Amino acid sequence: MIMKYLLQLVLVLAVNTLLAQQRVVAECTITYAIAVDSSSADSSFAENLKSATKTVQIKGSNCRVDILSKAFSQSIFYDKVGGGITILREFGNNKFITKLDSAMWRKENLEFDSLTTIITQETKKIIGYDCKKAELQLKNGKTYQVYFVPTLIPSVREFEVEFKSIPGLVLAYFVQSKDGKKINYIATKLNLSPVPASKFDIPSLGYRLLEK
């Protein structure tokens, strides 16, 4: 009886210690620099992503992801509660809007079904945070090397389906496709200040509807 009680006490203490080490991040802005390995990509692909940036903004159950490059811009709005996704794309003077429900979003991301995730013991410091490394293997041959902060858990993560199995906040990832293209995303700044609610207002004027 005493042994059973001691085992339960040890389990409770272990769980409490783990929870104390983790913090749910409900408000943040992450800025990533995007770089293409020019030796593994055609020149136009590399040029289009030259000096490109990715920005992730999280507020409660909402998330917004912006990718800005010389050739195009894209904004994805994700509502965890409602399950709705809105995608805005701009190519020069052409503006398009696409609306998806959760089922359509899953269909858009079928390549990430049944991916293999391996959490390694390798670590790296990124913008002052101690990150652990994970390796992802997709069935189509694409691979990811992911660095995440295990002590920070985003309040919403479904917007990036590829990272659904990552137990922390992703600050860097390196993608290599089967045909050899390599794209690197490395955080340059993590701001934990509140995100204005206006960042999640979705414009509609001037956008042409594209249906899936």
PDB file of all heavy atoms in Angstrom, residues 1 7 31 38-39 41 57 74 83-85 88 94 123 125 136 139 159 185 203 207 210:
ATOM      1  N   MET A   1       0.835  -1.198   0.000  1.00  0.00           N
ATOM      2  CA  MET A   1       0.000   0.000   0.000  1.00  0.00           C
ATOM      3  C   MET A   1       0.874   1.254   0.000  1.00  0.00           C
ATOM      4  O   MET A   1       0.622   2.206  -0.728  1.00  0.00           O
ATOM      5  CB  MET A   1      -0.923  -0.008   1.231  1.00  0.00           C
ATOM      6  CG  MET A   1      -1.977   1.086   1.214  1.00  0.00           C
ATOM      7  SD  MET A   1      -3.226   0.735  -0.068  1.00  0.00           S
ATOM      8  CE  MET A   1      -4.325   2.108   0.205  1.00  0.00           C
ATOM      9  N   LEU A   7       4.583   5.471  -5.496  1.00  0.00           N
ATOM     10  CA  LEU A   7       4.620   5.504  -6.953  1.00  0.00           C
ATOM     11  C   LEU A   7       3.686   6.570  -7.504  1.00  0.00           C
ATOM     12  O   LEU A   7       4.016   7.283  -8.455  1.00  0.00           O
ATOM     13  CB  LEU A   7       4.256   4.129  -7.522  1.00  0.00           C
ATOM     14  CG  LEU A   7       5.300   3.023  -7.341  1.00  0.00           C
ATOM     15  CD1 LEU A   7       4.738   1.681  -7.803  1.00  0.00           C
ATOM     16  CD2 LEU A   7       6.572   3.356  -8.104  1.00  0.00           C
ATOM     17  N   THR A  31       9.088  35.998 -36.517  1.00  0.00           N
ATOM     18  CA  THR A  31       9.559  36.405 -37.838  1.00  0.00           C
ATOM     19  C   THR A  31      10.669  35.467 -38.280  1.00  0.00           C
ATOM     20  O   THR A  31      11.624  35.237 -37.531  1.00  0.00           O
ATOM     21  CB  THR A  31      10.084  37.849 -37.816  1.00  0.00           C
ATOM     22  OG1 THR A  31       9.062  38.719 -37.306  1.00  0.00           O
ATOM     23  CG2 THR A  31      10.466  38.304 -39.216  1.00  0.00           C
ATOM     24  N   SER A  38      20.696  27.791 -53.411  1.00  0.00           N
ATOM     25  CA  SER A  38      20.715  28.019 -54.857  1.00  0.00           C
ATOM     26  C   SER A  38      21.354  26.882 -55.639  1.00  0.00           C
ATOM     27  O   SER A  38      21.083  26.701 -56.823  1.00  0.00           O
ATOM     28  CB  SER A  38      21.450  29.329 -55.169  1.00  0.00           C
ATOM     29  OG  SER A  38      22.771  29.289 -54.662  1.00  0.00           O
ATOM     30  N   SER A  39      22.192  26.098 -54.981  1.00  0.00           N
ATOM     31  CA  SER A  39      22.843  24.978 -55.675  1.00  0.00           C
ATOM     32  C   SER A  39      21.876  23.833 -55.945  1.00  0.00           C
ATOM     33  O   SER A  39      22.175  22.933 -56.728  1.00  0.00           O
ATOM     34  CB  SER A  39      24.022  24.462 -54.841  1.00  0.00           C
ATOM     35  OG  SER A  39      23.568  23.905 -53.614  1.00  0.00           O
ATOM     36  N   ALA A  41      18.409  24.441 -56.571  1.00  0.00           N
ATOM     37  CA  ALA A  41      17.158  24.957 -57.129  1.00  0.00           C
ATOM     38  C   ALA A  41      17.451  25.743 -58.402  1.00  0.00           C
ATOM     39  O   ALA A  41      18.557  26.256 -58.600  1.00  0.00           O
ATOM     40  CB  ALA A  41      16.457  25.853 -56.108  1.00  0.00           C
ATOM     41  N   GLN A  57       1.684  35.023 -36.552  1.00  0.00           N
ATOM     42  CA  GLN A  57       1.082  35.753 -35.436  1.00  0.00           C
ATOM     43  C   GLN A  57      -0.002  34.886 -34.806  1.00  0.00           C
ATOM     44  O   GLN A  57      -0.903  34.399 -35.506  1.00  0.00           O
ATOM     45  CB  GLN A  57       0.499  37.079 -35.914  1.00  0.00           C
ATOM     46  CG  GLN A  57       1.562  38.052 -36.404  1.00  0.00           C
ATOM     47  CD  GLN A  57       0.980  39.305 -37.027  1.00  0.00           C
ATOM     48  OE1 GLN A  57       0.244  39.217 -38.007  1.00  0.00           O
ATOM     49  NE2 GLN A  57       1.302  40.447 -36.473  1.00  0.00           N
ATOM     50  N   GLN A  74       1.480  36.148 -49.603  1.00  0.00           N
ATOM     51  CA  GLN A  74       0.402  35.237 -49.222  1.00  0.00           C
ATOM     52  C   GLN A  74       0.119  35.386 -47.733  1.00  0.00           C
ATOM     53  O   GLN A  74       1.039  35.456 -46.925  1.00  0.00           O
ATOM     54  CB  GLN A  74       0.785  33.795 -49.531  1.00  0.00           C
ATOM     55  CG  GLN A  74      -0.235  32.766 -49.053  1.00  0.00           C
ATOM     56  CD  GLN A  74       0.161  31.360 -49.428  1.00  0.00           C
ATOM     57  OE1 GLN A  74      -0.063  30.915 -50.553  1.00  0.00           O
ATOM     58  NE2 GLN A  74       0.741  30.623 -48.491  1.00  0.00           N
ATOM     59  N   GLY A  83     -12.751  26.634 -37.265  1.00  0.00           N
ATOM     60  CA  GLY A  83     -12.203  25.684 -38.224  1.00  0.00           C
ATOM     61  C   GLY A  83     -12.078  26.220 -39.632  1.00  0.00           C
ATOM     62  O   GLY A  83     -11.810  25.472 -40.571  1.00  0.00           O
ATOM     63  N   GLY A  84     -12.270  27.535 -39.799  1.00  0.00           N
ATOM     64  CA  GLY A  84     -12.206  28.116 -41.129  1.00  0.00           C
ATOM     65  C   GLY A  84     -10.825  28.626 -41.480  1.00  0.00           C
ATOM     66  O   GLY A  84     -10.075  29.081 -40.623  1.00  0.00           O
ATOM     67  N   ILE A  85     -10.484  28.530 -42.761  1.00  0.00           N
ATOM     68  CA  ILE A  85      -9.201  29.013 -43.257  1.00  0.00           C
ATOM     69  C   ILE A  85      -9.457  29.938 -44.434  1.00  0.00           C
ATOM     70  O   ILE A  85     -10.230  29.611 -45.340  1.00  0.00           O
ATOM     71  CB  ILE A  85      -8.281  27.852 -43.712  1.00  0.00           C
ATOM     72  CG1 ILE A  85      -7.928  26.946 -42.541  1.00  0.00           C
ATOM     73  CG2 ILE A  85      -7.012  28.381 -44.355  1.00  0.00           C
ATOM     74  CD1 ILE A  85      -8.873  25.784 -42.363  1.00  0.00           C
ATOM     75  N   LEU A  88      -5.220  34.598 -48.711  1.00  0.00           N
ATOM     76  CA  LEU A  88      -5.110  35.741 -49.613  1.00  0.00           C
ATOM     77  C   LEU A  88      -3.794  35.640 -50.368  1.00  0.00           C
ATOM     78  O   LEU A  88      -2.748  35.377 -49.768  1.00  0.00           O
ATOM     79  CB  LEU A  88      -5.137  37.057 -48.824  1.00  0.00           C
ATOM     80  CG  LEU A  88      -6.331  37.313 -47.899  1.00  0.00           C
ATOM     81  CD1 LEU A  88      -6.162  38.661 -47.200  1.00  0.00           C
ATOM     82  CD2 LEU A  88      -7.638  37.276 -48.672  1.00  0.00           C
ATOM     83  N   ASN A  94      -2.758  41.497 -59.224  1.00  0.00           N
ATOM     84  CA  ASN A  94      -3.804  40.481 -59.129  1.00  0.00           C
ATOM     85  C   ASN A  94      -3.948  39.989 -57.693  1.00  0.00           C
ATOM     86  O   ASN A  94      -2.963  39.579 -57.067  1.00  0.00           O
ATOM     87  CB  ASN A  94      -3.469  39.302 -60.045  1.00  0.00           C
ATOM     88  CG  ASN A  94      -3.385  39.708 -61.503  1.00  0.00           C
ATOM     89  OD1 ASN A  94      -4.298  40.330 -62.034  1.00  0.00           O
ATOM     90  ND2 ASN A  94      -2.266  39.391 -62.155  1.00  0.00           N
ATOM     91  N   THR A 123      20.696  19.550 -29.913  1.00  0.00           N
ATOM     92  CA  THR A 123      20.152  20.850 -29.515  1.00  0.00           C
ATOM     93  C   THR A 123      20.866  21.968 -30.265  1.00  0.00           C
ATOM     94  O   THR A 123      21.973  21.795 -30.774  1.00  0.00           O
ATOM     95  CB  THR A 123      20.284  21.089 -28.000  1.00  0.00           C
ATOM     96  OG1 THR A 123      21.672  21.085 -27.653  1.00  0.00           O
ATOM     97  CG2 THR A 123      19.546  20.023 -27.212  1.00  0.00           C
ATOM     98  N   LYS A 125      20.945  26.584 -30.126  1.00  0.00           N
ATOM     99  CA  LYS A 125      20.412  27.831 -29.590  1.00  0.00           C
ATOM    100  C   LYS A 125      20.032  28.743 -30.748  1.00  0.00           C
ATOM    101  O   LYS A 125      20.854  29.020 -31.629  1.00  0.00           O
ATOM    102  CB  LYS A 125      21.435  28.511 -28.678  1.00  0.00           C
ATOM    103  CG  LYS A 125      20.848  29.692 -27.877  1.00  0.00           C
ATOM    104  CD  LYS A 125      21.870  30.256 -26.906  1.00  0.00           C
ATOM    105  CE  LYS A 125      22.091  29.324 -25.720  1.00  0.00           C
ATOM    106  NZ  LYS A 125      20.917  29.300 -24.799  1.00  0.00           N
ATOM    107  N   LEU A 136      11.579  14.903 -39.569  1.00  0.00           N
ATOM    108  CA  LEU A 136      10.310  14.452 -40.141  1.00  0.00           C
ATOM    109  C   LEU A 136      10.563  13.821 -41.503  1.00  0.00           C
ATOM    110  O   LEU A 136      11.316  14.362 -42.316  1.00  0.00           O
ATOM    111  CB  LEU A 136       9.330  15.624 -40.299  1.00  0.00           C
ATOM    112  CG  LEU A 136       9.092  16.534 -39.082  1.00  0.00           C
ATOM    113  CD1 LEU A 136       8.052  17.586 -39.417  1.00  0.00           C
ATOM    114  CD2 LEU A 136       8.657  15.713 -37.884  1.00  0.00           C
ATOM    115  N   LYS A 139       6.007  10.514 -46.777  1.00  0.00           N
ATOM    116  CA  LYS A 139       5.945   9.383 -47.705  1.00  0.00           C
ATOM    117  C   LYS A 139       6.408   9.751 -49.104  1.00  0.00           C
ATOM    118  O   LYS A 139       6.847   8.881 -49.867  1.00  0.00           O
ATOM    119  CB  LYS A 139       4.514   8.826 -47.758  1.00  0.00           C
ATOM    120  CG  LYS A 139       4.114   8.052 -46.512  1.00  0.00           C
ATOM    121  CD  LYS A 139       2.747   7.416 -46.684  1.00  0.00           C
ATOM    122  CE  LYS A 139       2.395   6.530 -45.505  1.00  0.00           C
ATOM    123  NZ  LYS A 139       1.060   5.890 -45.661  1.00  0.00           N
ATOM    124  N   PHE A 159      -2.657  25.153 -37.928  1.00  0.00           N
ATOM    125  CA  PHE A 159      -2.473  25.895 -39.171  1.00  0.00           C
ATOM    126  C   PHE A 159      -1.257  25.387 -39.946  1.00  0.00           C
ATOM    127  O   PHE A 159      -1.172  25.546 -41.161  1.00  0.00           O
ATOM    128  CB  PHE A 159      -2.323  27.388 -38.887  1.00  0.00           C
ATOM    129  CG  PHE A 159      -1.100  27.739 -38.080  1.00  0.00           C
ATOM    130  CD1 PHE A 159       0.062  28.132 -38.707  1.00  0.00           C
ATOM    131  CD2 PHE A 159      -1.123  27.648 -36.704  1.00  0.00           C
ATOM    132  CE1 PHE A 159       1.189  28.438 -37.970  1.00  0.00           C
ATOM    133  CE2 PHE A 159      -0.010  27.957 -35.955  1.00  0.00           C
ATOM    134  CZ  PHE A 159       1.155  28.351 -36.579  1.00  0.00           C
ATOM    135  N   TYR A 185      14.039  27.999 -43.153  1.00  0.00           N
ATOM    136  CA  TYR A 185      13.263  28.998 -42.420  1.00  0.00           C
ATOM    137  C   TYR A 185      13.890  29.127 -41.026  1.00  0.00           C
ATOM    138  O   TYR A 185      13.869  28.166 -40.245  1.00  0.00           O
ATOM    139  CB  TYR A 185      11.810  28.566 -42.272  1.00  0.00           C
ATOM    140  CG  TYR A 185      11.058  28.364 -43.577  1.00  0.00           C
ATOM    141  CD1 TYR A 185      11.235  27.193 -44.329  1.00  0.00           C
ATOM    142  CD2 TYR A 185      10.168  29.317 -44.056  1.00  0.00           C
ATOM    143  CE1 TYR A 185      10.551  26.996 -45.519  1.00  0.00           C
ATOM    144  CE2 TYR A 185       9.473  29.125 -45.235  1.00  0.00           C
ATOM    145  CZ  TYR A 185       9.672  27.961 -45.966  1.00  0.00           C
ATOM    146  OH  TYR A 185       8.998  27.771 -47.136  1.00  0.00           O
ATOM    147  N   PRO A 203      -9.561  41.244 -45.128  1.00  0.00           N
ATOM    148  CA  PRO A 203     -10.099  42.128 -46.170  1.00  0.00           C
ATOM    149  C   PRO A 203     -10.764  41.321 -47.282  1.00  0.00           C
ATOM    150  O   PRO A 203     -10.454  40.149 -47.479  1.00  0.00           O
ATOM    151  CB  PRO A 203      -8.858  42.857 -46.683  1.00  0.00           C
ATOM    152  CG  PRO A 203      -7.737  41.887 -46.435  1.00  0.00           C
ATOM    153  CD  PRO A 203      -8.097  41.171 -45.154  1.00  0.00           C
ATOM    154  N   TYR A 207     -10.405  41.652 -54.006  1.00  0.00           N
ATOM    155  CA  TYR A 207      -9.935  40.267 -54.161  1.00  0.00           C
ATOM    156  C   TYR A 207     -10.933  39.462 -54.995  1.00  0.00           C
ATOM    157  O   TYR A 207     -12.148  39.569 -54.814  1.00  0.00           O
ATOM    158  CB  TYR A 207      -9.754  39.594 -52.806  1.00  0.00           C
ATOM    159  CG  TYR A 207      -8.552  40.079 -52.033  1.00  0.00           C
ATOM    160  CD1 TYR A 207      -8.626  41.209 -51.228  1.00  0.00           C
ATOM    161  CD2 TYR A 207      -7.322  39.426 -52.124  1.00  0.00           C
ATOM    162  CE1 TYR A 207      -7.512  41.683 -50.523  1.00  0.00           C
ATOM    163  CE2 TYR A 207      -6.216  39.867 -51.424  1.00  0.00           C
ATOM    164  CZ  TYR A 207      -6.329  41.001 -50.637  1.00  0.00           C
ATOM    165  OH  TYR A 207      -5.228  41.445 -49.942  1.00  0.00           O
ATOM    166  N   LEU A 210     -11.376  32.598 -55.516  1.00  0.00           N
ATOM    167  CA  LEU A 210     -10.946  31.364 -56.157  1.00  0.00           C
ATOM    168  C   LEU A 210     -11.515  30.210 -55.357  1.00  0.00           C
ATOM    169  O   LEU A 210     -11.226  30.060 -54.166  1.00  0.00           O
ATOM    170  CB  LEU A 210      -9.415  31.265 -56.192  1.00  0.00           C
ATOM    171  CG  LEU A 210      -8.672  32.152 -57.190  1.00  0.00           C
ATOM    172  CD1 LEU A 210      -7.179  31.887 -57.089  1.00  0.00           C
ATOM    173  CD2 LEU A 210      -9.148  31.908 -58.608  1.00  0.00           C
TER     174      LEU A 210
END
